[in-house]
Amino acid sequence: MLSQKTRYSIRALQHLADRYKQGPVRLDEIVTAQNIPRKFLTVILSELVREGIVISHRGRSGGYELALSPVDVRYGDIIRVTRGSLALVPCASRNAHETCANCLPEAECRLRGLMLLLRDEMAAMLDRMSLADPIVPEPPFDGEPEI
């Protein structure tokens, strides 16, 4: 599962991508449109400014805008910056590897092998997709239990 921070970051960056080259976007506009707590969004945007993904403008007409073209901001990079890993389990992480508690030795664990394959496929897909790619909202599921 993506962290709440990562989900908020993606939504805020999608909002900024929609307004690319239209001037700075005020914090309150993003808060309202994306339903993100103001304090949390301030922290997230500060981090994205430090990472060089967002530019902050101070003053009366200030706000935030993308520092890069939406085509240059990949979803894989956003997740890595905000969460640190694309892996679903700690033993499959490239950057934050940890041995899983209560598990088999890594060399014998087929679950780890599966998670490594999944991480690599997911990373490849997320590294192909950018904020410039159109993503259509999907309708809610019809209430069937998740498999």
PDB file of all heavy atoms in Angstrom, residues 24-56:
ATOM      1  N   PRO A  24       1.817  30.467 -10.439  1.00  0.00           N
ATOM      2  CA  PRO A  24       1.768  29.772  -9.148  1.00  0.00           C
ATOM      3  C   PRO A  24       0.345  29.432  -8.711  1.00  0.00           C
ATOM      4  O   PRO A  24      -0.590  30.195  -8.936  1.00  0.00           O
ATOM      5  CB  PRO A  24       2.396  30.776  -8.173  1.00  0.00           C
ATOM      6  CG  PRO A  24       3.184  31.710  -9.026  1.00  0.00           C
ATOM      7  CD  PRO A  24       2.467  31.778 -10.339  1.00  0.00           C
ATOM      8  N   VAL A  25       0.214  28.267  -8.102  1.00  0.00           N
ATOM      9  CA  VAL A  25      -1.075  27.797  -7.586  1.00  0.00           C
ATOM     10  C   VAL A  25      -1.050  27.974  -6.076  1.00  0.00           C
ATOM     11  O   VAL A  25      -0.122  27.519  -5.402  1.00  0.00           O
ATOM     12  CB  VAL A  25      -1.300  26.313  -7.952  1.00  0.00           C
ATOM     13  CG1 VAL A  25      -2.619  25.816  -7.375  1.00  0.00           C
ATOM     14  CG2 VAL A  25      -1.243  26.115  -9.457  1.00  0.00           C
ATOM     15  N   ARG A  26      -2.056  28.609  -5.538  1.00  0.00           N
ATOM     16  CA  ARG A  26      -2.116  28.872  -4.101  1.00  0.00           C
ATOM     17  C   ARG A  26      -2.333  27.571  -3.329  1.00  0.00           C
ATOM     18  O   ARG A  26      -3.044  26.666  -3.777  1.00  0.00           O
ATOM     19  CB  ARG A  26      -3.209  29.873  -3.785  1.00  0.00           C
ATOM     20  CG  ARG A  26      -2.953  31.214  -4.524  1.00  0.00           C
ATOM     21  CD  ARG A  26      -3.768  32.355  -4.037  1.00  0.00           C
ATOM     22  NE  ARG A  26      -3.651  32.660  -2.635  1.00  0.00           N
ATOM     23  CZ  ARG A  26      -2.674  33.391  -2.083  1.00  0.00           C
ATOM     24  NH1 ARG A  26      -1.716  33.868  -2.825  1.00  0.00           N
ATOM     25  NH2 ARG A  26      -2.690  33.650  -0.799  1.00  0.00           N
ATOM     26  N   LEU A  27      -1.739  27.512  -2.164  1.00  0.00           N
ATOM     27  CA  LEU A  27      -1.841  26.342  -1.296  1.00  0.00           C
ATOM     28  C   LEU A  27      -3.300  25.992  -1.018  1.00  0.00           C
ATOM     29  O   LEU A  27      -3.694  24.823  -1.108  1.00  0.00           O
ATOM     30  CB  LEU A  27      -1.086  26.591   0.020  1.00  0.00           C
ATOM     31  CG  LEU A  27      -1.092  25.452   1.014  1.00  0.00           C
ATOM     32  CD1 LEU A  27      -0.170  24.335   0.548  1.00  0.00           C
ATOM     33  CD2 LEU A  27      -0.660  25.942   2.383  1.00  0.00           C
ATOM     34  N   ASP A  28      -4.102  26.981  -0.701  1.00  0.00           N
ATOM     35  CA  ASP A  28      -5.504  26.724  -0.354  1.00  0.00           C
ATOM     36  C   ASP A  28      -6.299  26.121  -1.513  1.00  0.00           C
ATOM     37  O   ASP A  28      -7.237  25.363  -1.293  1.00  0.00           O
ATOM     38  CB  ASP A  28      -6.183  27.996   0.151  1.00  0.00           C
ATOM     39  CG  ASP A  28      -5.697  28.387   1.534  1.00  0.00           C
ATOM     40  OD1 ASP A  28      -5.284  27.480   2.285  1.00  0.00           O
ATOM     41  OD2 ASP A  28      -5.718  29.579   1.856  1.00  0.00           O
ATOM     42  N   GLU A  29      -5.918  26.448  -2.743  1.00  0.00           N
ATOM     43  CA  GLU A  29      -6.594  25.840  -3.897  1.00  0.00           C
ATOM     44  C   GLU A  29      -6.333  24.336  -3.929  1.00  0.00           C
ATOM     45  O   GLU A  29      -7.249  23.541  -4.146  1.00  0.00           O
ATOM     46  CB  GLU A  29      -6.105  26.474  -5.206  1.00  0.00           C
ATOM     47  CG  GLU A  29      -6.726  25.819  -6.429  1.00  0.00           C
ATOM     48  CD  GLU A  29      -6.161  26.326  -7.744  1.00  0.00           C
ATOM     49  OE1 GLU A  29      -5.801  27.529  -7.838  1.00  0.00           O
ATOM     50  OE2 GLU A  29      -6.091  25.518  -8.701  1.00  0.00           O
ATOM     51  N   ILE A  30      -5.083  23.951  -3.691  1.00  0.00           N
ATOM     52  CA  ILE A  30      -4.736  22.523  -3.701  1.00  0.00           C
ATOM     53  C   ILE A  30      -5.415  21.817  -2.534  1.00  0.00           C
ATOM     54  O   ILE A  30      -5.973  20.728  -2.696  1.00  0.00           O
ATOM     55  CB  ILE A  30      -3.207  22.328  -3.641  1.00  0.00           C
ATOM     56  CG1 ILE A  30      -2.511  23.050  -4.794  1.00  0.00           C
ATOM     57  CG2 ILE A  30      -2.852  20.840  -3.649  1.00  0.00           C
ATOM     58  CD1 ILE A  30      -1.001  23.140  -4.658  1.00  0.00           C
ATOM     59  N   VAL A  31      -5.391  22.437  -1.354  1.00  0.00           N
ATOM     60  CA  VAL A  31      -6.033  21.866  -0.165  1.00  0.00           C
ATOM     61  C   VAL A  31      -7.496  21.556  -0.450  1.00  0.00           C
ATOM     62  O   VAL A  31      -7.986  20.456  -0.178  1.00  0.00           O
ATOM     63  CB  VAL A  31      -5.899  22.833   1.041  1.00  0.00           C
ATOM     64  CG1 VAL A  31      -6.854  22.472   2.161  1.00  0.00           C
ATOM     65  CG2 VAL A  31      -4.467  22.864   1.545  1.00  0.00           C
ATOM     66  N   THR A  32      -8.202  22.528  -1.004  1.00  0.00           N
ATOM     67  CA  THR A  32      -9.634  22.372  -1.258  1.00  0.00           C
ATOM     68  C   THR A  32      -9.903  21.376  -2.385  1.00  0.00           C
ATOM     69  O   THR A  32     -10.722  20.459  -2.228  1.00  0.00           O
ATOM     70  CB  THR A  32     -10.254  23.740  -1.611  1.00  0.00           C
ATOM     71  OG1 THR A  32     -10.007  24.638  -0.523  1.00  0.00           O
ATOM     72  CG2 THR A  32     -11.739  23.616  -1.859  1.00  0.00           C
ATOM     73  N   ALA A  33      -9.212  21.522  -3.484  1.00  0.00           N
ATOM     74  CA  ALA A  33      -9.484  20.680  -4.650  1.00  0.00           C
ATOM     75  C   ALA A  33      -9.096  19.222  -4.424  1.00  0.00           C
ATOM     76  O   ALA A  33      -9.759  18.317  -4.931  1.00  0.00           O
ATOM     77  CB  ALA A  33      -8.741  21.218  -5.869  1.00  0.00           C
ATOM     78  N   GLN A  34      -8.049  18.998  -3.655  1.00  0.00           N
ATOM     79  CA  GLN A  34      -7.537  17.640  -3.477  1.00  0.00           C
ATOM     80  C   GLN A  34      -7.846  17.042  -2.104  1.00  0.00           C
ATOM     81  O   GLN A  34      -7.427  15.923  -1.818  1.00  0.00           O
ATOM     82  CB  GLN A  34      -6.022  17.610  -3.737  1.00  0.00           C
ATOM     83  CG  GLN A  34      -5.647  18.012  -5.142  1.00  0.00           C
ATOM     84  CD  GLN A  34      -6.289  17.120  -6.184  1.00  0.00           C
ATOM     85  OE1 GLN A  34      -6.395  15.913  -5.996  1.00  0.00           O
ATOM     86  NE2 GLN A  34      -6.728  17.714  -7.290  1.00  0.00           N
ATOM     87  N   ASN A  35      -8.523  17.794  -1.255  1.00  0.00           N
ATOM     88  CA  ASN A  35      -8.911  17.313   0.071  1.00  0.00           C
ATOM     89  C   ASN A  35      -7.696  16.791   0.857  1.00  0.00           C
ATOM     90  O   ASN A  35      -7.668  15.653   1.327  1.00  0.00           O
ATOM     91  CB  ASN A  35      -9.986  16.232  -0.040  1.00  0.00           C
ATOM     92  CG  ASN A  35     -10.628  15.928   1.290  1.00  0.00           C
ATOM     93  OD1 ASN A  35     -10.673  16.782   2.181  1.00  0.00           O
ATOM     94  ND2 ASN A  35     -11.113  14.711   1.457  1.00  0.00           N
ATOM     95  N   ILE A  36      -6.692  17.661   0.971  1.00  0.00           N
ATOM     96  CA  ILE A  36      -5.460  17.338   1.685  1.00  0.00           C
ATOM     97  C   ILE A  36      -5.355  18.292   2.876  1.00  0.00           C
ATOM     98  O   ILE A  36      -5.524  19.498   2.707  1.00  0.00           O
ATOM     99  CB  ILE A  36      -4.223  17.507   0.771  1.00  0.00           C
ATOM    100  CG1 ILE A  36      -4.346  16.594  -0.458  1.00  0.00           C
ATOM    101  CG2 ILE A  36      -2.939  17.214   1.543  1.00  0.00           C
ATOM    102  CD1 ILE A  36      -3.273  16.826  -1.516  1.00  0.00           C
ATOM    103  N   PRO A  37      -5.060  17.777   4.082  1.00  0.00           N
ATOM    104  CA  PRO A  37      -4.896  18.677   5.229  1.00  0.00           C
ATOM    105  C   PRO A  37      -3.790  19.710   4.971  1.00  0.00           C
ATOM    106  O   PRO A  37      -2.705  19.370   4.484  1.00  0.00           O
ATOM    107  CB  PRO A  37      -4.511  17.724   6.368  1.00  0.00           C
ATOM    108  CG  PRO A  37      -5.022  16.384   5.944  1.00  0.00           C
ATOM    109  CD  PRO A  37      -4.925  16.369   4.450  1.00  0.00           C
ATOM    110  N   ARG A  38      -4.095  20.958   5.290  1.00  0.00           N
ATOM    111  CA  ARG A  38      -3.190  22.075   4.999  1.00  0.00           C
ATOM    112  C   ARG A  38      -1.795  21.863   5.581  1.00  0.00           C
ATOM    113  O   ARG A  38      -0.791  22.070   4.897  1.00  0.00           O
ATOM    114  CB  ARG A  38      -3.808  23.358   5.550  1.00  0.00           C
ATOM    115  CG  ARG A  38      -3.123  24.615   5.124  1.00  0.00           C
ATOM    116  CD  ARG A  38      -3.892  25.836   5.669  1.00  0.00           C
ATOM    117  NE  ARG A  38      -3.838  26.972   4.803  1.00  0.00           N
ATOM    118  CZ  ARG A  38      -2.759  27.724   4.630  1.00  0.00           C
ATOM    119  NH1 ARG A  38      -1.653  27.453   5.265  1.00  0.00           N
ATOM    120  NH2 ARG A  38      -2.785  28.757   3.803  1.00  0.00           N
ATOM    121  N   LYS A  39      -1.706  21.489   6.860  1.00  0.00           N
ATOM    122  CA  LYS A  39      -0.394  21.306   7.502  1.00  0.00           C
ATOM    123  C   LYS A  39       0.413  20.219   6.805  1.00  0.00           C
ATOM    124  O   LYS A  39       1.604  20.368   6.586  1.00  0.00           O
ATOM    125  CB  LYS A  39      -0.560  20.947   8.983  1.00  0.00           C
ATOM    126  CG  LYS A  39      -0.726  22.110   9.890  1.00  0.00           C
ATOM    127  CD  LYS A  39      -0.718  21.626  11.330  1.00  0.00           C
ATOM    128  CE  LYS A  39      -0.547  22.786  12.274  1.00  0.00           C
ATOM    129  NZ  LYS A  39      -0.493  22.341  13.670  1.00  0.00           N
ATOM    130  N   PHE A  40      -0.253  19.119   6.492  1.00  0.00           N
ATOM    131  CA  PHE A  40       0.418  18.000   5.839  1.00  0.00           C
ATOM    132  C   PHE A  40       0.899  18.414   4.446  1.00  0.00           C
ATOM    133  O   PHE A  40       2.020  18.109   4.040  1.00  0.00           O
ATOM    134  CB  PHE A  40      -0.533  16.809   5.751  1.00  0.00           C
ATOM    135  CG  PHE A  40       0.140  15.462   5.673  1.00  0.00           C
ATOM    136  CD1 PHE A  40      -0.632  14.320   5.696  1.00  0.00           C
ATOM    137  CD2 PHE A  40       1.518  15.309   5.574  1.00  0.00           C
ATOM    138  CE1 PHE A  40      -0.050  13.062   5.619  1.00  0.00           C
ATOM    139  CE2 PHE A  40       2.114  14.067   5.502  1.00  0.00           C
ATOM    140  CZ  PHE A  40       1.326  12.942   5.515  1.00  0.00           C
ATOM    141  N   LEU A  41       0.055  19.139   3.706  1.00  0.00           N
ATOM    142  CA  LEU A  41       0.429  19.582   2.366  1.00  0.00           C
ATOM    143  C   LEU A  41       1.620  20.539   2.414  1.00  0.00           C
ATOM    144  O   LEU A  41       2.509  20.464   1.560  1.00  0.00           O
ATOM    145  CB  LEU A  41      -0.756  20.234   1.660  1.00  0.00           C
ATOM    146  CG  LEU A  41      -0.497  20.687   0.230  1.00  0.00           C
ATOM    147  CD1 LEU A  41      -0.074  19.519  -0.658  1.00  0.00           C
ATOM    148  CD2 LEU A  41      -1.726  21.377  -0.342  1.00  0.00           C
ATOM    149  N   THR A  42       1.667  21.403   3.397  1.00  0.00           N
ATOM    150  CA  THR A  42       2.796  22.327   3.534  1.00  0.00           C
ATOM    151  C   THR A  42       4.103  21.559   3.688  1.00  0.00           C
ATOM    152  O   THR A  42       5.109  21.887   3.046  1.00  0.00           O
ATOM    153  CB  THR A  42       2.574  23.263   4.745  1.00  0.00           C
ATOM    154  OG1 THR A  42       1.354  23.984   4.541  1.00  0.00           O
ATOM    155  CG2 THR A  42       3.718  24.242   4.908  1.00  0.00           C
ATOM    156  N   VAL A  43       4.090  20.524   4.521  1.00  0.00           N
ATOM    157  CA  VAL A  43       5.289  19.704   4.729  1.00  0.00           C
ATOM    158  C   VAL A  43       5.666  18.978   3.436  1.00  0.00           C
ATOM    159  O   VAL A  43       6.831  18.946   3.034  1.00  0.00           O
ATOM    160  CB  VAL A  43       5.065  18.691   5.883  1.00  0.00           C
ATOM    161  CG1 VAL A  43       6.201  17.692   5.963  1.00  0.00           C
ATOM    162  CG2 VAL A  43       4.894  19.429   7.205  1.00  0.00           C
ATOM    163  N   ILE A  44       4.681  18.400   2.776  1.00  0.00           N
ATOM    164  CA  ILE A  44       4.925  17.663   1.529  1.00  0.00           C
ATOM    165  C   ILE A  44       5.511  18.587   0.461  1.00  0.00           C
ATOM    166  O   ILE A  44       6.502  18.248  -0.194  1.00  0.00           O
ATOM    167  CB  ILE A  44       3.614  17.020   1.032  1.00  0.00           C
ATOM    168  CG1 ILE A  44       3.232  15.844   1.928  1.00  0.00           C
ATOM    169  CG2 ILE A  44       3.739  16.580  -0.425  1.00  0.00           C
ATOM    170  CD1 ILE A  44       1.821  15.319   1.691  1.00  0.00           C
ATOM    171  N   LEU A  45       4.909  19.743   0.264  1.00  0.00           N
ATOM    172  CA  LEU A  45       5.394  20.661  -0.766  1.00  0.00           C
ATOM    173  C   LEU A  45       6.789  21.175  -0.443  1.00  0.00           C
ATOM    174  O   LEU A  45       7.616  21.338  -1.353  1.00  0.00           O
ATOM    175  CB  LEU A  45       4.408  21.810  -0.962  1.00  0.00           C
ATOM    176  CG  LEU A  45       3.098  21.410  -1.645  1.00  0.00           C
ATOM    177  CD1 LEU A  45       2.103  22.568  -1.621  1.00  0.00           C
ATOM    178  CD2 LEU A  45       3.336  20.931  -3.073  1.00  0.00           C
ATOM    179  N   SER A  46       7.091  21.381   0.835  1.00  0.00           N
ATOM    180  CA  SER A  46       8.448  21.794   1.216  1.00  0.00           C
ATOM    181  C   SER A  46       9.467  20.732   0.819  1.00  0.00           C
ATOM    182  O   SER A  46      10.547  21.045   0.320  1.00  0.00           O
ATOM    183  CB  SER A  46       8.532  22.047   2.715  1.00  0.00           C
ATOM    184  OG  SER A  46       7.751  23.143   3.074  1.00  0.00           O
ATOM    185  N   GLU A  47       9.111  19.478   1.039  1.00  0.00           N
ATOM    186  CA  GLU A  47      10.001  18.383   0.654  1.00  0.00           C
ATOM    187  C   GLU A  47      10.165  18.317  -0.867  1.00  0.00           C
ATOM    188  O   GLU A  47      11.270  18.111  -1.375  1.00  0.00           O
ATOM    189  CB  GLU A  47       9.456  17.057   1.181  1.00  0.00           C
ATOM    190  CG  GLU A  47      10.378  15.888   0.931  1.00  0.00           C
ATOM    191  CD  GLU A  47       9.877  14.611   1.572  1.00  0.00           C
ATOM    192  OE1 GLU A  47       9.366  14.654   2.713  1.00  0.00           O
ATOM    193  OE2 GLU A  47       9.999  13.557   0.913  1.00  0.00           O
ATOM    194  N   LEU A  48       9.082  18.507  -1.588  1.00  0.00           N
ATOM    195  CA  LEU A  48       9.153  18.473  -3.048  1.00  0.00           C
ATOM    196  C   LEU A  48       9.930  19.655  -3.605  1.00  0.00           C
ATOM    197  O   LEU A  48      10.578  19.546  -4.651  1.00  0.00           O
ATOM    198  CB  LEU A  48       7.744  18.405  -3.642  1.00  0.00           C
ATOM    199  CG  LEU A  48       6.975  17.111  -3.338  1.00  0.00           C
ATOM    200  CD1 LEU A  48       5.522  17.226  -3.795  1.00  0.00           C
ATOM    201  CD2 LEU A  48       7.648  15.902  -3.965  1.00  0.00           C
ATOM    202  N   VAL A  49       9.917  20.796  -2.903  1.00  0.00           N
ATOM    203  CA  VAL A  49      10.748  21.940  -3.278  1.00  0.00           C
ATOM    204  C   VAL A  49      12.216  21.572  -3.095  1.00  0.00           C
ATOM    205  O   VAL A  49      13.050  21.800  -3.986  1.00  0.00           O
ATOM    206  CB  VAL A  49      10.375  23.200  -2.460  1.00  0.00           C
ATOM    207  CG1 VAL A  49      11.438  24.279  -2.607  1.00  0.00           C
ATOM    208  CG2 VAL A  49       9.008  23.731  -2.878  1.00  0.00           C
ATOM    209  N   ARG A  50      12.557  20.974  -1.944  1.00  0.00           N
ATOM    210  CA  ARG A  50      13.953  20.552  -1.697  1.00  0.00           C
ATOM    211  C   ARG A  50      14.436  19.540  -2.727  1.00  0.00           C
ATOM    212  O   ARG A  50      15.612  19.518  -3.084  1.00  0.00           O
ATOM    213  CB  ARG A  50      14.096  19.965  -0.295  1.00  0.00           C
ATOM    214  CG  ARG A  50      14.139  20.993   0.814  1.00  0.00           C
ATOM    215  CD  ARG A  50      14.572  20.398   2.145  1.00  0.00           C
ATOM    216  NE  ARG A  50      13.752  19.287   2.580  1.00  0.00           N
ATOM    217  CZ  ARG A  50      12.600  19.383   3.239  1.00  0.00           C
ATOM    218  NH1 ARG A  50      12.131  20.579   3.548  1.00  0.00           N
ATOM    219  NH2 ARG A  50      11.925  18.313   3.611  1.00  0.00           N
ATOM    220  N   GLU A  51      13.536  18.703  -3.213  1.00  0.00           N
ATOM    221  CA  GLU A  51      13.895  17.685  -4.206  1.00  0.00           C
ATOM    222  C   GLU A  51      13.983  18.265  -5.624  1.00  0.00           C
ATOM    223  O   GLU A  51      14.374  17.567  -6.553  1.00  0.00           O
ATOM    224  CB  GLU A  51      12.873  16.542  -4.189  1.00  0.00           C
ATOM    225  CG  GLU A  51      12.904  15.714  -2.929  1.00  0.00           C
ATOM    226  CD  GLU A  51      14.170  14.877  -2.789  1.00  0.00           C
ATOM    227  OE1 GLU A  51      14.801  14.545  -3.816  1.00  0.00           O
ATOM    228  OE2 GLU A  51      14.543  14.569  -1.644  1.00  0.00           O
ATOM    229  N   GLY A  52      13.582  19.530  -5.799  1.00  0.00           N
ATOM    230  CA  GLY A  52      13.661  20.164  -7.106  1.00  0.00           C
ATOM    231  C   GLY A  52      12.504  19.843  -8.040  1.00  0.00           C
ATOM    232  O   GLY A  52      12.577  20.116  -9.236  1.00  0.00           O
ATOM    233  N   ILE A  53      11.417  19.300  -7.496  1.00  0.00           N
ATOM    234  CA  ILE A  53      10.250  18.943  -8.309  1.00  0.00           C
ATOM    235  C   ILE A  53       9.252  20.104  -8.371  1.00  0.00           C
ATOM    236  O   ILE A  53       8.555  20.284  -9.355  1.00  0.00           O
ATOM    237  CB  ILE A  53       9.569  17.670  -7.758  1.00  0.00           C
ATOM    238  CG1 ILE A  53      10.557  16.498  -7.816  1.00  0.00           C
ATOM    239  CG2 ILE A  53       8.289  17.343  -8.518  1.00  0.00           C
ATOM    240  CD1 ILE A  53      10.080  15.250  -7.112  1.00  0.00           C
ATOM    241  N   VAL A  54       9.222  20.898  -7.306  1.00  0.00           N
ATOM    242  CA  VAL A  54       8.273  22.007  -7.177  1.00  0.00           C
ATOM    243  C   VAL A  54       9.045  23.287  -6.887  1.00  0.00           C
ATOM    244  O   VAL A  54      10.107  23.255  -6.263  1.00  0.00           O
ATOM    245  CB  VAL A  54       7.257  21.707  -6.041  1.00  0.00           C
ATOM    246  CG1 VAL A  54       6.393  22.912  -5.715  1.00  0.00           C
ATOM    247  CG2 VAL A  54       6.382  20.517  -6.412  1.00  0.00           C
ATOM    248  N   ILE A  55       8.505  24.402  -7.350  1.00  0.00           N
ATOM    249  CA  ILE A  55       9.048  25.732  -7.043  1.00  0.00           C
ATOM    250  C   ILE A  55       8.036  26.440  -6.155  1.00  0.00           C
ATOM    251  O   ILE A  55       6.833  26.378  -6.398  1.00  0.00           O
ATOM    252  CB  ILE A  55       9.253  26.569  -8.324  1.00  0.00           C
ATOM    253  CG1 ILE A  55      10.264  25.906  -9.253  1.00  0.00           C
ATOM    254  CG2 ILE A  55       9.701  27.988  -7.976  1.00  0.00           C
ATOM    255  CD1 ILE A  55      10.320  26.557 -10.622  1.00  0.00           C
ATOM    256  N   SER A  56       8.541  27.121  -5.134  1.00  0.00           N
ATOM    257  CA  SER A  56       7.697  27.898  -4.230  1.00  0.00           C
ATOM    258  C   SER A  56       7.906  29.384  -4.509  1.00  0.00           C
ATOM    259  O   SER A  56       9.043  29.840  -4.652  1.00  0.00           O
ATOM    260  CB  SER A  56       8.090  27.574  -2.783  1.00  0.00           C
ATOM    261  OG  SER A  56       7.451  28.456  -1.895  1.00  0.00           O
TER     262      SER A  56
END
